[in-house]
Structures are given as C-alpha cells and as structure tokens.
Amino acid sequence: MVQESSKQALGNATFENYVGLEQGFSEMAYQLSAHVLTLGYAVMLAALFYFILTIKSVAPKYRMSSVLSVVVMVSAFLLLFVQRDNWVEAFTFNQDTGLYMLDPNHAGDLFNNGYRYLNWLIDVPMLLFQILFVVSLKTSSFSSVRNQFWFSGTLMILTGYVGQYYEVTNPVAFFTWGAISTVFFVHILILMRKVIKEGQQGVPDQAAKYLGTIWWIFLISWMLYPGAYLMPYLGLFGEAGVVGRHITYTVADVASKVIYGIFLTLTAQVLSKADGYKDVEFDQVEEPAKG
Amino acid sequence: MVQESSKQALGNATFENYVGLEQGFSEMAYQLSAHVLTLGYAVMLAALFYFILTIKSVAPKYRMSSVLSVVVMVSAFLLLFVQRDNWVEAFTFNQDTGLYMLDPNHAGDLFNNGYRYLNWLIDVPMLLFQILFVVSLKTSSFSSVRNQFWFSGTLMILTGYVGQYYEVTNPVAFFTWGAISTVFFVHILILMRKVIKEGQQGVPDQAAKYLGTIWWIFLISWMLYPGAYLMPYLGLFGEAGVVGRHITYTVADVASKVIYGIFLTLTAQVLSKADGYKDVEFDQVEEPAKG
C-alpha cells in the first residue's frame, strides 16, 4: 500500500501525501477537493453574517449563544481558508503523468489536517458552551457542566491531533490515541444528552422539538469526525479516501457549527417569545409577511 | 551545538534558523509549529468579535476597556498572521532528508520573532492601560500610573527586542539586554499588583474575586515571555526548543490578551450592575437562561 521508500521520504505525514507521491490525483479528485475545501470556509463567512444580524431576534439572556456562534464562524473561516491553501500548495499538476502529484522538487509544505484540529481547540468548547446559554438546566450545575465540557473537549482534540500523525507509519499509536480520544468523546455525548433532556422540560412544544432536532444534528455530525479520522483504514487508501475525507469534514463542519447554531437561534427565539420578549427588529418565528 | 560555519552563514539570526539549517524539523515539529501559529491569530480575530459584541454589556464608563481589547486583537491578529507566514516561508520540505529545512538556495527570509516584539509596542501599553478603566484607584494617581506603565512597558520591549538578535552569537549581549528588560518588567509587576489591590477595595465580592483571578492570569502569562526569550538556554536548543517557544508564546498571547480581557469585561459587568446599570442588550453576569 505504501512503499517503504515513501515512508522514509515523507516521515509522519498524512495519507494524502503518500497518495500524492505514489498514485497522484485525477483532475476531478484534485479539483473536487479544492472546491469542497473552499465551500467550507465560504459557508463559515456567510453564516457569520447570519449570526450577527439575527442577534437581536432573541432576548438578551440568550444572546451569548449567538456571540459564541460568531466566535466559531470567525475561527473556522480562517483555519479552513488556510487548510484549502495548504491543499492547493502541496500538490501540483504534472504534465508527464496528467495527474496532480507531490512535486519531488517543490519547495512547499506537505498537506496536513492539523489546522482543523487546532481550530477545534477553539470551536469545540465554544459549541458545547453555547447551548448552556439557551437551555435552563434543572438539576445539573452550569459551571460543573461547562468545566466538564472544556476538560473532555480539549483532551479529545489533543489526543486525536497526536494520533493523526501516525495514520500511515504507526497503526498501533494511531489506534491507541484514537481510542483515548473516543473516551472523552463518549463523555461529551452523555453530557450533551443530559443537557438537552433537562432543557426540554417545561418549555413550549416547539422549543422541545427544536432541542430534539439539535440532539440528532449533534450526534450525527460529531460522529462524522471519528469516521474521517479512520478513513485510511476504511478500505479507502487512495484518492477516494482523500476526497471522501474532505467531503466528510466539510459536511461535519457545516452541520455541527452552522446548522447547530441556527437551530439554537430558532430555539432561543421561541423561548424569547414565551418570556414575553418583544423583538423590535425581527419576528422570524411567526409566518413572515402576515401584515 | 552551532557550527562555526553556520554562525558565519546566518549571522545574528534566531536559533530557529540554526536548527533549520543544521538539524531540520520533523513533520510533526514543523506542522505543529505552523498550526499553533495559525491558532494564535485565529483566536485574536475570533475574540475581536467577542469584544465588539459585548461592549454594551458594561456601563459606558467601563467601555474603554473593551475598546482597548479590540485594538489589541486587531494588532495582534495582523502581526501573528505575518509571523506564521514567516515560519511557513522560511523552511521547506526536503525529500532527501524527510525533514523541513532552511533551503540553502531558497530566496526567502529567515525566521525572526521580531514581528512579535514590535506588536508588543502596541499591545503592552494598551493591556496595561485597559485595567485602569475598570478599577477605581484609591490612592494612586491615574496619570502617574499610566505614564509609568507606558515608560516601563516600552523600554521592556525595546531592550528585549535588541537582545533577541544575540541569542546565538553573543550570549553576553543577550543576557545583558535581557537583564535590563527584566528590571522594567519587575517594575510593571509591582505597579500592577498595587493597581489590583486598590481596585479590590470597596467593590462587590464577585468583582474582587475576578480581580484576584486577573492578577494570577497576568502574573503567570507575562512570566511566560521571559521564559520564551531564554528558551535557547533552557537546554532546549533543537526542535523541542523551537516548538516549545511557539507554544509558549501562543499560550502567553491568548492568556495575557484574550482571557485577561474577558475577565476585565466580566469585572466591569459586575461593577456596572452594582452601579445600577441596566443592560438593555445583555445579561451575562447572572446565571444564564434561568428564566
């Protein structure tokens, strides 16, 4: 699968580079990757404006959720922009083979998904905190849940970050770090389930329904990340695996950051209305244009 | 440690370049540095939006603290962006060695931390001034403290900036300039301690507690900078020292600029509430979403 000479040449590089050195990428695979990576950061910048412009559609006590969505959009936009740049710089079109390849003489960087991981050091705590500004916890303590989210979120990312360096050269290290990361991930899922269950008590039906949707968005989109981590071992070592990973990460980013944030805004709008908040600028919850 | 031929070739360059010329960086060391440097400027731009969006959560007389945080975020974002670009341009992947190295034929710049130092000429006075807009000085004079902060802050940075050029080639000059810089640093610490002690008098318990936290954030995060300055002499001349310095600077930047600023905002929110300020937009101080 990976030749020994490539292993020596590339060291602890990600499998994208080995594919780029040994097999090369077709025009469609290379361009699709570049386009998907570009779509990712464009969605973040576009959604940034949504979260700023709808901030006053919710009562003041819920607005920190929108502020945290803004923080996530800005950091994700920048990191995904750099990630796309990294892809475009790492591989160049080779007229001898008709493929995009790692240029043996080229003077740039190898491709590495680590920009994503360090971005998550910002985004994961923010995404987990922001729901706490929308739901009312009934039995759990705000600061205890917040601290557990931060602790497990940070350790989940850092252990996964270390593990991804070994995806080609050292499967034992790769799976060990991945397993440690998964322990923290499971802890986060359990906590989030509890937060959402408590949040659904005593709120209007529509808000409870939105929170139920948020749980499924959260569960499914966050499960995509370990899937992308495992991509080289899912029988997809080749350009299908590389393109599949870019698409998986992008779908997961849009769902877990943007769609999740929008549903939290919708939930906060329903709760604001139930609290008697009169929005002077917006009335997005009711059917629009009823005069 | 550093060969004489390298000393002649690189002149007064920082130790990052000597490591890049003589030893090279592994994939993990090089990428981790690039990712951490990218994380640094992404945090600054994300936090910029936090400080803008929460500015009306404090009474008007405290808002200059948020404005100064905004100024710091913008300048730090730009300088850290350039600093990361400098890193990526200085070293390139070498397929013969499987390492990132200073290309002897390449036409780029050497790596230099000086971008950071000149950024601090803006940030250090701003960070020191901003607390003066939150606390009420009891015995000290506002303008006297401000002028002393500016005087010692500026001289601390300039002397450190000169010293860092000698970290490889002239240890006597390196330590002499470092020692002069430290005198101004100690003066700043003493002043800040006094400002915080006075600020804690006669304020609500929660504000006094936040100010106590601010003192520890300030002390620990500012102590990291001389640690990074001394990195080549801490037995870390090699890629561990290079990566360690990037991480140290980034942690210090996030703590001393962003977390420090957030805690000043939280303090100002408590003081605003105690002053009878009714925030029309935010209510971040109380437990969120308790309805």
Side-chain angles (χ1 to χ4, degrees):
Chain A
M1 190 150 95
V2 172
Q3 290 160 21
E4 277 308 309
S5 60
S6 302
K7 281 203 182 178
Q8 282 173 12
L10 296 186
N12 277 355
T14 53
F15 86 109
E16 286 86 350
N17 302 289
Y18 293 94
V19 177
L21 181 69
E22 295 180 359
Q23 304 170 30
F25 299 103
S26 67
E27 171 74 5
M28 194 190 272
Y30 175 81
Q31 295 287 2
L32 179 50
S33 301
H35 302 158
V36 166
L37 290 167
T38 303
L39 177 66
Y41 70 76
V43 170
M44 298 304 150
L45 194 62
L48 168 67
F49 288 90
Y50 169 85
F51 289 115
I52 291 176
L53 292 172
T54 57
I55 201 165
K56 287 187 181 168
S57 70
V58 302
K61 67 177 178 174
Y62 303 115
R63 287 184 191 161
M64 190 49 63
S65 170
S66 300
V67 173
L68 294 180
S69 275
V70 166
V71 167
V72 168
M73 293 306 114
V74 172
S75 67
F77 164 73
L78 277 176
L79 274 285
L80 295 176
F81 185 87
V82 173
Q83 191 75 68
R84 181 263 176 187
D85 200 50
N86 184 210
W87 171 258
V88 172
E89 295 294 320
F91 308 105
T92 51
F93 186 70
N94 181 324
Q95 288 200 22
D96 297 329
T97 59
L99 298 167
Y100 288 82
M101 305 195 75
L102 204 65
D103 182 347
N105 305 312
H106 95 126
D109 291 1
L110 299 178
F111 181 78
N112 190 285
N113 285 298
Y115 291 105
R116 294 184 180 280
Y117 283 80
L118 289 216
N119 170 230
W120 297 330
L121 278 183
I122 310 172
D123 292 350
V124 162
M126 297 302 115
L127 291 168
L128 295 171
F129 292 175
Q130 81 177 107
I131 195 169
L132 301 178
F133 290 95
V134 174
V135 305
S136 298
L137 295 177
K138 296 292 183 289
T139 51
S140 308
S141 134
F142 177 89
S143 59
S144 159
V145 173
R146 183 196 59 202
N147 295 345
Q148 289 181 68
F149 271 153
W150 201 326
F151 177 82
S152 285
T154 304
L155 287 175
M156 174 182 76
I157 299 308
L158 289 177
T159 51
Y161 177 74
V162 174
Q164 59 101 25
Y165 280 104
Y166 299 109
E167 64 185 24
V168 178
T169 52
N170 188 342
V172 173
F174 175 73
F175 282 103
T176 305
W177 286 107
I180 298 170
S181 182
T182 304
V183 172
F184 297 113
F185 178 47
V186 171
H187 179 223
I188 290 169
L189 289 179
I190 293 168
L191 264 182
M192 181 56 86
R193 182 91 188 111
K194 201 168 112 182
V195 165
I196 289 177
K197 276 280 164 211
E198 289 188 29
Q200 285 178 315
Q201 291 166 30
V203 298
D205 285 352
Q206 185 61 49
K209 209 177 124 193
Y210 280 144
L211 284 168
T213 306
I214 287 168
W215 166 247
W216 287 107
I217 294 168
F218 183 83
L219 181 67
I220 294 169
S221 64
W222 284 54
M223 290 294 291
L224 293 175
Y225 292 102
Y229 181 90
L230 294 169
M231 202 68 83
Y233 290 90
L234 298 176
L236 286 168
F237 202 109
E239 71 175 29
V242 172
V243 176
R245 181 137 88 178
H246 292 313
I247 294 174
T248 305
Y249 274 139
T250 304
V251 170
D253 280 347
V254 172
S256 69
K257 297 175 171 68
V258 179
I259 300 177
Y260 169 80
I262 290 172
F263 271 87
L264 282 174
T265 299
L266 293 173
T267 309
Q269 285 170 348
V270 173
L271 296 174
S272 299
K273 208 175 182 79
D275 295 348
Y277 172 68
K278 274 300 233 188
D279 175 15
V280 291
E281 295 196 2
F282 269 90
D283 202 345
Q284 207 187 331
V285 174
E286 286 193 297
E287 284 288 284
K290 272 279 171 63
Chain B
M1 189 150 95
V2 172
Q3 290 159 20
E4 277 309 309
S5 60
S6 302
K7 281 204 183 178
Q8 281 173 11
L10 297 186
N12 276 358
T14 55
F15 85 109
E16 286 86 350
N17 302 291
Y18 293 94
V19 177
L21 180 69
E22 294 181 0
Q23 304 170 29
F25 300 102
S26 68
E27 170 74 5
M28 196 190 273
Y30 174 81
Q31 295 283 5
L32 180 50
S33 302
H35 303 155
V36 166
L37 291 168
T38 304
L39 178 68
Y41 69 76
V43 170
M44 298 303 151
L45 196 63
L48 168 67
F49 284 82
Y50 169 85
F51 289 116
I52 291 175
L53 292 172
T54 58
I55 200 164
K56 287 189 179 166
S57 70
V58 301
K61 69 174 177 175
Y62 303 114
R63 286 182 193 163
M64 189 51 64
S65 170
S66 300
V67 172
L68 294 179
S69 275
V70 165
V71 168
V72 168
M73 293 305 114
V74 172
S75 68
F77 165 72
L78 279 175
L79 274 284
L80 294 176
F81 182 88
V82 173
Q83 190 76 69
R84 181 262 176 187
D85 201 51
N86 185 209
W87 171 259
V88 171
E89 295 295 321
F91 308 104
T92 53
F93 186 71
N94 181 325
Q95 287 202 27
D96 297 329
T97 59
L99 298 168
Y100 288 81
M101 305 196 73
L102 203 65
D103 181 347
N105 306 313
H106 96 126
D109 290 2
L110 298 178
F111 181 78
N112 190 285
N113 283 299
Y115 293 105
R116 293 183 180 281
Y117 283 79
L118 290 214
N119 170 230
W120 297 331
L121 279 182
I122 310 173
D123 292 350
V124 162
M126 297 303 115
L127 291 169
L128 295 171
F129 292 174
Q130 83 176 106
I131 195 170
L132 301 178
F133 291 94
V134 175
V135 305
S136 298
L137 295 177
K138 295 294 182 289
T139 51
S140 307
S141 133
F142 178 90
S143 59
S144 159
V145 172
R146 183 196 58 202
N147 295 345
Q148 289 180 67
F149 270 154
W150 202 326
F151 177 82
S152 284
T154 303
L155 287 174
M156 173 181 78
I157 299 307
L158 289 177
T159 51
Y161 177 71
V162 174
Q164 59 101 27
Y165 279 104
Y166 298 108
E167 64 184 24
V168 178
T169 52
N170 188 342
V172 173
F174 175 73
F175 281 104
T176 305
W177 286 107
I180 298 170
S181 182
T182 304
V183 173
F184 297 113
F185 178 48
V186 170
H187 179 222
I188 290 169
L189 287 180
I190 293 168
L191 264 182
M192 181 57 86
R193 182 92 188 110
K194 204 167 110 182
V195 165
I196 288 177
K197 276 278 164 210
E198 289 188 30
Q200 285 177 317
Q201 290 168 31
V203 297
D205 285 352
Q206 186 60 50
K209 208 177 127 192
Y210 280 144
L211 285 167
T213 306
I214 288 169
W215 166 247
W216 287 107
I217 293 168
F218 183 85
L219 181 67
I220 294 169
S221 65
W222 284 54
M223 290 294 291
L224 293 176
Y225 292 102
Y229 181 89
L230 293 170
M231 203 67 84
Y233 290 90
L234 298 177
L236 285 170
F237 203 109
E239 70 174 29
V242 172
V243 176
R245 180 137 89 177
H246 292 312
I247 294 175
T248 304
Y249 274 138
T250 303
V251 170
D253 280 347
V254 172
S256 68
K257 297 173 171 66
V258 178
I259 300 177
Y260 169 80
I262 290 172
F263 270 88
L264 282 174
T265 298
L266 293 174
T267 309
Q269 285 171 346
V270 174
L271 296 174
S272 300
K273 213 177 179 78
D275 295 348
Y277 173 68
K278 272 300 229 191
D279 175 14
V280 290
E281 296 198 0
F282 269 91
D283 202 346
Q284 208 187 329
V285 174
E286 286 194 297
E287 282 286 283
K290 272 282 166 65

